[in-house]
Amino acid sequence: MNFSSSTFGKLLTGRGSRQGLWLLPFAIALAMALWLAVTTSQFGQWSNLANLVAQGMPLLITAVGQMFVVLVGGLDLSIGSVVSFTTAILALDLPGYVTIPGVFLFAGLIGATNGYCITRLNVHPIVATLSMQYVVLGITRVLRPVSGGTVPEGVRWLVEGSLFGLPLPILWGIATLLVAWKLLYGSRYGLHLFAIGGGVAACSDDAARNFGIPASRNILLAYVICSLFAALAGVFLAGRIVSGDPNVGLLMELDAITAVAIGGTQLSGGVGSLHGTVIGVVVLALLSNGMNLLNVTPFVQTAVKGILLMAVVALQSRKKIGL
Amino acid sequence: MSALVNSTLFRRVSKVPPSYYLLVVLLVILFVARPQMLNANVLGVFVRQVVPLGILVLGQLLVMRVKSIDLSGGGVILLINYCISSGIFPGASLGFYVVLALATGLVIGLFNGVMVAKRRVSAVIVTLALSIVLIGFVQYLSSGKPPGDVPKIFAELFNTRFAGLPSPVVFWIALTALMALLLSQTVFGRFVTAVGESMPAAHFSGVPVERTVILAHTLAGLMAAIAALVQTASIAVGSVRVGLDLPILSVAATILGGVVFGRGEGGVWGPFFGVLCFAFLFVVMTMFGVGDAGKLVAQGLIILFAAIFYGLRADK
């Protein structure tokens, strides 16, 4: 009788579950929040909590997008560049009604290109999105070599303002989660994503197609969704930093992947959940917020993030060896 | 599109890794624009710069052929650079540093291999996470400041020449030849090919899949350690930023050289020329006044086209 086949072990390691391992990270998040609330006086203050939400929001939005791609066994490394690109476009001297739709159009195109290369031209997701990361970052640096410019006033209000007494960042989070929930659990599309991913994870790529699910089209759409969420995160960040910055999205894709992985979504595809991703984001946000409160240097924060990621991923179990 | 892909001409053309074509194109451009640069001395200097990348690629192609990936090279290079330049081992000899570096690489590679093959963790995540941990650790130890100087002997060794060529370049070529022999002449080399073709098939034919993957990762760690030594010798100072983009570039050069996940048509020399392409690409682009931004775009497009080139040919 080994640990992971007992009922408790199953729940803890997420073995055999479609939702993956999310209970353990949930416990970690809870423990971290409690510990911070007890040891530091600032943590529970309203201003710190509002700051926590606003700081974690770009991560939440990108991680939710990344989850769609990870569920079909892919990976999108280009989202950091898309975020930077978005802030650069918004900081151009153009009215918001031109730039905001334009940003989402471009992001959709980037996602579609990723998806097309992966599904039709048979390029490995890591390779396709990595090269897209370079291309988009290059274009961003042409548009805006150093940070500067100003973002339209409306975008700023969308991030800093409040509605019915609620700070707007919270509404961004709710809207993101509602859209993602509808796509994932409230539509046929979400079901198809899980089916395709399950096939990919079991090393039989055409399992879903044999059941009549158009795999290529759905995978392509997942990359478009991921890019669109990245653009949304970019708009949010642009509102926060009030300028365009070619480096603001640097390494953001890694944080997003970390959050998704901590939340129990398996990188081989087919297993994962929206609430898991939210928990992953909360863990990462609490980690950086808590360490800031405790005056830990950012370098240690980096190392701890890496160890956490490794520990959580090592607890997941899967069949596939390799990527 | 499929008619074009299936034509005899395309099949014949696509047998050769893209790196060979690109290298020829780059050399022709250099020849037309700056013929005076095409002599052994100038080229030697350029090629010497990419030797760390070239050595890292030798490990990368090994793990990519068993459908894995190693992104921990950046962390390994940083850690070894810190050990050598911070003076935490006062009075240590060159031999000590070499053994220390190789041992570090071996342990890290073994850890990666066991995590990937036994624990079945995603290789992207585990190697990336390890790199993040190592980078954070080194930056914490050095408080984010460059640690110090590298013993003089490293730079002296790096600047020597052997048979008219810079010795790092000779060393790289020798190491590449060794790797080519390892893959073509040994049982391990065949296991690598078999595992890359199909893991279930290899498993049922009695190939020790897990052990092959572990060994591939261990060798990759070793290569990263050697690359770290050469990189440290080349910059001759301690740094907390050195080599961070090398893992990604090594993946790019490997793909350009015709080795994609699980498929190794390019052998060992394809990626070798892929690395040379990157050396000359940056020279050519600097020559034409292309800025950093343009270089990023070109780099991305080249990787993408190389991958499409292979993807189109692969049978679905």
Side-chain angles (χ1 to χ4, degrees):
Chain A
M1 185 69 194
N2 67 16
F3 168 71
S4 58
S5 59
S6 68
T7 312
F8 179 67
K10 261 185 198 159
L11 204 56
L12 203 63
T13 57
R15 184 179 286 249
S17 157
R18 269 266 166 251
Q19 304 189 331
L21 165 92
W22 61 271
L23 212 57
L24 181 69
F26 182 66
I28 294 176
L30 212 60
M32 281 168 74
L34 279 176
W35 189 62
L36 282 173
V38 172
T39 50
T40 62
S41 54
Q42 305 107 299
F43 178 74
Q45 283 170 12
W46 179 241
S47 62
N48 183 52
L49 289 180
N51 198 18
L52 185 70
V53 170
Q55 264 176 0
M57 199 48 64
L59 178 61
L60 177 74
I61 301 172
T62 50
V64 164
Q66 185 75 258
M67 184 189 55
F68 281 86
V69 173
V70 174
L71 275 180
V72 291
L75 210 56
D76 192 342
L77 299 175
S78 65
I79 55 173
S81 292
V82 172
V83 169
S84 304
F85 177 72
T86 306
T87 65
I89 294 267
L90 285 180
L92 292 175
D93 233 351
L94 290 169
Y97 58 82
V98 177
T99 50
I100 293 178
V103 156
F104 286 103
L105 186 70
F106 279 125
L109 274 176
I110 292 169
T113 316
N114 279 336
Y116 185 80
C117 288
I118 290 159
T119 55
R120 305 283 172 183
L121 303 179
N122 224 351
V123 179
H124 195 280
I126 293 179
V127 179
T129 56
L130 181 71
S131 38
M132 188 54 80
Q133 177 194 346
Y134 281 137
V135 172
V136 176
L137 188 63
I139 296 171
T140 308
R141 293 216 171 136
V142 172
L143 281 175
R144 187 156 291 286
V146 289
S147 65
T150 44
V151 166
E153 199 57 38
V155 177
R156 245 179 101 174
W157 179 80
L158 278 175
V159 176
E160 288 174 350
S162 58
L163 202 64
F164 312 124
L166 270 178
L168 277 173
I170 291 180
L171 294 182
W172 281 67
I174 291 171
T176 305
L177 293 180
L178 277 181
V179 170
W181 189 87
K182 177 70 188 156
L183 281 171
L184 210 54
Y185 301 118
S187 74
R188 199 175 296 174
Y189 175 67
L191 209 56
H192 287 178
L193 279 189
F194 279 103
I196 295 166
V200 172
C203 303
S204 56
D205 285 7
D206 41 6
R209 221 188 41 195
N210 292 344
F211 279 100
I213 298 171
S216 300
R217 203 201 309 157
N218 283 329
I219 294 177
L220 196 145
L221 197 54
Y223 282 92
V224 173
I225 290 172
C226 180
S227 269
L228 290 178
F229 272 118
L232 189 65
V235 174
F236 183 89
L237 257 178
R240 247 176 93 76
I241 59 177
V242 210
S243 62
D245 186 344
N247 296 322
V248 70
L250 220 58
L251 297 181
M252 226 167 181
E253 63 276 355
L254 295 186
D255 279 348
I257 295 168
T258 310
V260 169
I262 288 177
T265 302
Q266 293 212 357
L267 291 138
S268 47
V271 173
S273 60
L274 186 60
H275 56 272
T277 302
V278 176
I279 292 166
V281 171
V282 170
V283 169
L284 279 191
L286 283 179
L287 195 69
S288 65
N289 183 264
M291 289 199 171
N292 282 338
L293 290 181
L294 297 170
N295 286 325
V296 180
T297 69
F299 308 130
V300 176
Q301 289 186 27
T302 320
V304 170
K305 218 189 275 178
I307 292 171
L308 190 67
L309 174 60
M310 212 164 355
V312 168
V313 178
L315 271 175
Q316 298 182 354
S317 54
R318 60 170 203 169
K319 274 189 187 162
K320 212 172 126 194
I321 294 181
L323 300 169
Chain B
M1 190 94 99
S2 68
L4 171 75
V5 173
N6 290 325
S7 68
T8 348
L9 181 69
F10 180 83
R11 284 197 169 271
R12 203 163 290 166
V13 167
S14 65
K15 274 231 163 57
V16 182
S19 60
Y20 292 84
Y21 296 116
L22 185 62
L23 188 64
V24 170
V25 170
L26 288 170
L27 286 178
V28 167
I29 294 175
L30 266 183
F31 180 72
V32 172
R34 298 273 193 288
Q36 70 275 16
M37 273 168 81
L38 280 181
N39 66 61
N41 275 331
V42 179
L43 291 188
V45 170
F46 292 140
V47 174
R48 205 176 63 171
Q49 300 299 327
V50 294
V51 171
L53 175 63
I55 295 171
L56 201 59
V57 160
L58 292 178
Q60 193 67 261
L61 73 93
L62 206 54
V63 289
M64 278 174 71
R65 285 195 54 180
V66 295
K67 289 196 180 138
S68 189
I69 197 169
D70 186 353
L71 299 173
S72 65
V76 176
I77 291 176
L78 211 57
L79 180 66
I80 292 174
N81 177 274
Y82 178 79
C83 286
I84 295 175
S85 61
S86 63
I88 48 172
F89 303 106
S93 67
L94 179 68
F96 173 80
Y97 282 130
V98 171
V99 171
L100 179 78
L102 294 185
T104 311
L106 211 61
V107 169
I108 289 173
L110 191 64
F111 176 79
N112 284 337
V114 170
M115 288 295 266
V116 170
K118 291 277 184 201
R119 262 322 303 176
R120 311 264 164 126
V121 181
S122 158
V124 182
I125 299 300
V126 73
T127 57
L128 205 58
L130 187 62
S131 194
I132 294 174
V133 173
L134 292 176
I135 291 168
F137 179 61
V138 169
Q139 289 184 333
Y140 165 68
L141 285 179
S142 58
S143 320
K145 289 188 282 288
D149 284 331
V150 171
K152 284 226 162 39
I153 180 141
F154 279 96
E156 282 163 11
L157 263 181
F158 187 75
N159 287 323
T160 53
R161 284 177 165 272
F162 186 85
L165 286 166
S167 17
V169 178
V170 178
F171 178 63
W172 174 31
I173 294 173
L175 216 53
T176 310
L178 265 179
M179 185 58 80
L181 281 179
L182 179 75
L183 283 175
S184 64
Q185 302 298 322
T186 65
V187 178
F188 171 69
R190 288 196 203 155
F191 283 174
V192 167
T193 312
V195 171
E197 284 294 329
S198 160
M199 275 191 202
H203 175 71
F204 288 123
S205 320
V207 173
V209 175
E210 295 186 352
R211 215 192 309 151
T212 308
V213 174
I214 292 178
L215 192 54
H217 267 286
T218 312
L219 284 174
L222 209 60
M223 288 299 157
I226 300 175
L229 286 171
V230 178
Q231 179 71 277
T232 304
S234 115
I235 60 167
V237 288
S239 165
V240 286
R241 303 206 50 80
V242 61
L244 291 185
D245 57 343
L246 283 188
I248 294 295
L249 275 178
S250 75
V251 175
T254 311
I255 293 164
L256 200 57
V259 176
V260 212
F261 300 106
R263 289 144 45 84
E265 282 100 331
V268 171
W269 297 103
F272 177 87
F273 285 107
V275 174
L276 283 185
C277 283
F278 275 105
F280 292 125
L281 185 67
F282 289 127
V283 173
V284 167
M285 287 201 290
T286 312
M287 206 169 73
F288 287 112
V290 179
D292 282 339
K295 282 179 186 165
L296 279 176
V297 174
Q299 213 171 307
L301 288 178
I302 286 172
I303 306 170
L304 191 61
F305 283 126
I308 289 176
F309 182 84
Y310 272 95
L312 276 182
R313 211 157 51 96
D315 298 321
K316 284 223 168 185

